Amino acid sequence: MASNLPIPIPPRTPTPPPDDDPTTNRVPTHDRLSVDAASANKDSLSPLVDTFPPRSPRDAEIRDRLSPTKSSFSTSPTDSAAQHGSSDHGSSGPFNFQTTSMAKSPVVKSNIGQRRGHKYKHSSISHQIFLEPPPRAPLALPNSLPIPTLKEYRTSMSKEQKTRFWWSVCHMFVAAYTLWSAHGSLAMTALSHLILFDSLGALLCVAVDVLGNFEVWKRSSIRHPFGLERAEVLAGFAMCVLLLFMGMDLISHNLQHFLESSGHEPHHSHPHDRVSVGSVDITAVLAVSSTLVSAIGLKNHARIGKAMQFAYIESLPSVLSNPSHFLTLSCSTLLLILPLVSIKLYGWLDALLSGTIAISMCVLGTRLVKTLGSMLLMSYSGQGVPDVIRDIEADPAVFGIDDARFWQVHYGLCMANLKLRVSGSEENIVRLRERISSLIRNRLGGGYGTGSQKWEVSLQLSVERT
């Protein structure tokens, strides 16, 4: 049964295409015709049929001309003849290269056909997801302003400022002389501490006045939004802390002296002889005169006095209304009484006067530390804020106050920020805004022309529809 099956014919193997011409990379015309003629016959490409198209004389000629063993290697009879002619005069070989000259013009790089990488905004429109921000106007405030160096600080001082500086140094010498001559009086020791505090205040006033010559002191910038004027508040805070510690030191010294007079033996002897009359008079006169010159000429502690006032001495003259000047002048005047009393009464009066000065220094230092500390924390510790809030709420156009913030930046600038719910026409709202701003400036700033503090008021009004 299996012997009757026909024998399968093996598949035909296709003949590879003819070699291309190395000079033109194209198949000659006569080869294409031969291939087409051979493909017309089905059996011409069969491996079982030994029939191939006859070779033409031109094929042998081309084969001989393209052979690497021949001395001529050209693509045309003309080239072959020229090659044979040149071999008679020079060297001959299969590789006869001709000398060519390179172009001297620069090579231009072409990016045609090359795909560039994504450069965000330089990519195609469909991929522009990173859009450029809209142009903004430059900030009105500078980023920072130059801070003067010590050399610039000294060269900018005027003649008046130099005079005031040297007077502050003389004021410190008065404090040193008072401390040196206060061997037999606790009250004179306490007075020397007060004079030292006044001299530091006078020196701070001169430093602030000289810094006012530079733009960085008052002009706002991004780095210092309120200028460098807050540095004065920080220096005043440090002075008040020093005053508080000096008062505590005097209190501890008085307690030690009291325990020694009560019969306790001290670890170190502290002789407290009675001070001479002439020494007390000279010290008191120097203290009074230096304090008056610094208070009137240098406006010593003027900013501190305006930021913090005591109700008991507000009605006194301008020099005495400052608590620091009042304490120094009153203690200097009371020192003149010490030489006039008896020896027994002198000890009690001297200790009483010294204790009073020490307690007053502690009270004044605590009050100043609280006031300047709240100023450093950007809050307002003055009086009159509840009354202002009450008057604003009493206005018929105001429905309520959602938020009210009052804060002080430095000695000369305060700010008020309020958020209100109001009703009425546009003209009434404009009038209400002006009225609230005027009310805050008059009540808290002391009125136009008389107030020492500048108030900047910002209001956010939400109109309620009725």
Side-chain angles (χ1 to χ4, degrees):
M1 187 76 181
S3 60
N4 295 329
L5 292 176
I7 298 173
I9 300 175
R12 293 180 298 172
T13 302
T15 303
D19 296 333
D20 295 339
D21 193 343
T23 58
T24 60
N25 293 330
R26 297 177 59 186
V27 179
T29 306
H30 66 278
D31 292 342
R32 289 202 304 272
L33 293 176
S34 300
V35 172
D36 294 338
S39 62
N41 189 2
K42 296 188 217 178
D43 299 332
S44 61
L45 298 178
S46 175
L48 303 178
V49 180
D50 191 12
T51 58
F52 295 96
R55 299 181 182 272
S56 61
R58 184 175 178 81
D59 295 338
E61 181 183 357
I62 294 175
R63 185 175 62 253
D64 295 338
R65 179 162 47 88
L66 298 180
S67 174
T69 59
K70 302 297 181 178
S71 60
S72 60
F73 191 78
S74 59
T75 59
S76 63
T78 306
D79 296 339
S80 177
Q83 184 70 22
H84 284 293
S86 63
S87 64
D88 297 337
H89 301 284
S91 61
S92 61
F95 303 103
N96 185 15
F97 301 105
Q98 300 296 329
T99 304
T100 57
S101 59
M102 299 294 293
K104 296 184 179 180
S105 59
V107 179
V108 180
K109 182 179 180 181
S110 176
N111 293 328
I112 299 176
Q114 297 181 4
R115 185 175 184 271
R116 301 178 62 184
H118 288 281
K119 301 296 182 182
Y120 297 103
K121 67 176 183 179
H122 298 290
S123 60
S124 60
I125 299 177
S126 61
H127 293 87
Q128 284 188 2
I129 58 176
F130 298 98
L131 301 178
E132 293 185 358
R136 297 185 302 177
L139 296 176
L141 295 177
N143 188 18
S144 62
L145 294 172
I147 298 178
T149 60
L150 183 59
K151 183 178 180 181
E152 295 174 348
Y153 183 87
R154 288 183 300 175
T155 55
S156 66
M157 294 178 65
S158 62
K159 185 177 180 180
E160 180 185 0
Q161 291 172 348
K162 291 181 180 179
T163 304
R164 296 173 63 184
F165 170 76
W166 289 113
W167 170 251
S168 302
V169 176
C170 294
H171 200 171
M172 289 186 177
F173 278 109
V174 172
Y177 172 77
T178 305
L179 182 62
W180 176 75
S181 60
H183 292 293
S185 175
L186 293 175
M188 290 181 65
T189 304
L191 181 62
S192 66
H193 290 69
L194 283 177
I195 299 175
L196 177 62
F197 177 72
D198 289 339
S199 63
L200 291 177
L203 186 62
L204 178 61
C205 291
V206 177
V208 168
D209 192 17
V210 177
L211 285 174
N213 300 334
F214 300 93
E215 189 180 16
V216 70
W217 181 251
K218 290 186 177 181
R219 186 180 176 184
S220 301
S221 62
I222 297 178
R223 186 174 183 180
H224 303 285
F226 305 102
L228 287 181
E229 290 191 73
R230 284 178 60 83
E232 181 184 4
V233 182
L234 183 60
F237 181 81
M239 287 176 49
C240 297
V241 172
L242 178 63
L243 179 66
L244 180 62
F245 277 98
M246 287 191 300
M248 293 181 178
D249 179 70
L250 289 174
I251 291 177
S252 64
H253 194 71
N254 289 334
L255 290 177
Q256 183 179 1
H257 181 70
F258 175 76
L259 293 176
E260 291 177 3
S261 60
S262 300
H264 294 79
E265 295 183 0
H267 296 284
H268 303 281
S269 59
H270 297 279
H272 296 283
D273 299 330
R274 181 170 179 173
V275 68
S276 61
V277 178
S279 178
V280 172
D281 295 340
I282 294 175
T283 302
V285 171
L286 288 176
V288 172
S289 60
S290 60
T291 303
L292 289 176
V293 171
S294 295
I296 298 174
L298 303 182
K299 303 297 181 182
N300 186 20
H301 300 308
R303 295 179 178 85
I304 293 180
K306 292 177 182 178
M308 183 202 64
Q309 296 180 354
F310 286 89
Y312 301 102
I313 59 177
E314 286 183 358
S315 58
L316 296 176
S318 59
V319 177
L320 296 177
S321 61
N322 191 318
S324 178
H325 300 330
F326 176 80
L327 187 59
T328 304
L329 294 176
S330 60
C331 293
S332 301
T333 305
L334 291 176
L335 278 180
L336 300 175
I337 307 175
L338 289 179
L340 304 178
V341 297
S342 61
I343 298 177
K344 184 177 181 180
L345 187 60
Y346 169 82
W348 286 100
L349 186 60
D350 183 70
L352 179 62
L353 185 58
S354 176
T356 304
I357 295 174
I359 294 174
S360 302
M361 291 172 64
C362 290
V363 172
L364 180 61
T366 304
R367 184 78 176 270
L368 288 174
V369 165
K370 181 181 178 181
T371 303
L372 299 182
S374 63
M375 198 180 301
L376 289 175
L377 296 176
M378 306 292 277
S379 62
Y380 181 71
S381 60
Q383 300 178 356
V385 175
D387 298 336
V388 171
I389 297 296
R390 194 179 305 112
D391 292 343
I392 294 175
E393 290 178 343
D395 194 286
V398 178
F399 280 174
I401 301 177
D402 294 337
D403 193 8
R405 301 294 177 89
F406 297 85
W407 45 295
Q408 187 172 0
V409 181
H410 48 77
Y411 293 116
L413 178 62
C414 299
M415 303 188 73
N417 308 106
L418 294 92
K419 185 178 180 181
L420 310 176
R421 289 180 286 106
V422 299
S423 65
S425 61
E426 186 176 354
E427 296 181 358
N428 294 335
I429 291 176
V430 172
R431 293 175 184 174
L432 178 64
R433 186 185 297 273
E434 295 178 354
R435 180 180 177 275
I436 293 176
S437 301
S438 177
L439 176 65
I440 293 175
R441 292 190 179 100
N442 291 332
R443 290 287 186 88
L444 303 180
Y448 292 98
T450 59
S452 59
Q453 298 172 349
K454 177 184 176 182
W455 277 88
E456 293 185 0
V457 183
S458 61
L459 302 175
Q460 181 179 354
L461 305 180
S462 300
V463 181
E464 298 285 341
R465 302 299 179 183
T466 57

